[in-house]
Amino acid sequence: MKNIGIIGAGNMGMAIIQGLLQKGWKEKISFIDLSKQRCQWVYEQTGVVNKGSIEELISEAEIIVLAIKPQFYQETVQQLKYIYRESQILVSIAPGISIASIQQWIDEPIRIVRAMPNTPAVIGEGMSVLCFSEGYYTEEDRKAIHLLFESLGQVAYLEEYLMDAVVPISGSAPAYVYMMI
């Protein structure tokens, strides 16, 4: 497994950390969050140490997961512009933010995986839908991304133009299943 740096340790960031821990990849995980209290809490819950800065996190990560709210994406991506390496893969889990938008903000064609995990991922029973940007991905790259999201539940692949439809469907499906039970 590749080294994974997670930016943001909210509900989805924490779900990703916990999923990876269940797979036994503790030494491959690093994270950062703006809240020092949240960093301390995540450490107490998982034993995963917060990186001191975004630069430190990026310098060690091969896969960078943006697990932050969509309104912070542009600013964060633009910060990454100067420290991101061509060999890295950026994973976006934000609904409604296209691969083209991220590439425009960083101002160069980078490898981006757009992922839509749903809330049952928090208990390892989620469904994540993935799509890859244009560019070269090795079999190892694709496998690492698949394993990352498989740690949250099931994984499926779609073309990007269908990704915006995933959010309302996967977000509402658990409620409909609950109603049927």
Side-chain angles (χ1 to χ4, degrees):
M1 179 49 111
K2 294 179 177 269
N3 291 328
I4 300 171
I6 301 163
I7 300 174
N11 291 338
M12 286 310 296
M14 182 64 167
I16 293 167
I17 291 169
Q18 289 175 321
L20 293 170
L21 286 173
Q22 294 222 341
K23 294 289 185 180
W25 297 322
K26 182 178 180 179
E27 59 281 339
K28 297 291 186 178
I29 309 166
S30 60
F31 80 97
I32 190 165
D33 194 273
L34 290 176
S35 167
K36 298 294 183 204
Q37 291 173 326
R38 183 68 177 183
C39 291
Q40 183 60 34
W41 182 83
V42 171
Y43 173 73
E44 290 168 1
Q45 300 299 308
T46 66
V48 176
V49 178
N50 167 46
K51 292 297 177 183
S53 68
I54 197 164
E55 291 82 8
E56 184 180 353
L57 179 115
I58 300 299
S59 73
E60 297 175 9
E62 297 166 281
I63 298 171
I64 303 158
V65 180
L66 291 176
I68 56 177
K69 297 204 180 298
Q71 62 265 32
F72 302 120
Y73 258 68
Q74 185 172 359
E75 179 184 344
T76 303
V77 167
Q78 287 173 334
Q79 283 181 343
L80 298 178
K81 179 178 182 172
Y82 302 103
I83 52 178
Y84 178 85
R85 294 185 316 275
E86 188 177 305
S87 62
Q88 294 171 309
I89 299 170
L90 186 65
V91 177
S92 168
I93 64 169
I97 297 180
S98 68
I99 289 171
S101 292
I102 295 170
Q103 287 179 332
Q104 180 182 4
W105 295 332
I106 209 161
D107 197 28
E108 60 183 73
I110 63 171
R111 297 185 305 160
I112 300 169
V113 175
R114 188 168 172 201
M116 290 289 105
N118 61 3
T119 54
V122 174
I123 58 169
E125 297 295 331
M127 181 70 201
S128 298
V129 179
L130 309 176
C131 70
F132 289 76
S133 67
E134 296 291 321
Y136 178 73
Y137 295 87
T138 65
E139 188 61 35
E140 181 185 7
D141 293 337
R142 290 182 181 277
K143 183 177 180 180
I145 296 295
H146 185 89
L147 289 172
L148 186 160
F149 286 96
E150 191 176 61
S151 74
L152 304 175
Q154 299 295 312
V155 178
Y157 297 86
L158 284 178
E159 296 294 319
E160 187 179 19
Y161 76 92
L162 296 169
M163 291 296 279
D164 288 335
V166 171
V167 176
I169 293 169
S170 70
S172 300
Y176 288 117
V177 170
Y178 176 77
M179 289 175 56
M180 302 302 282
I181 295 179

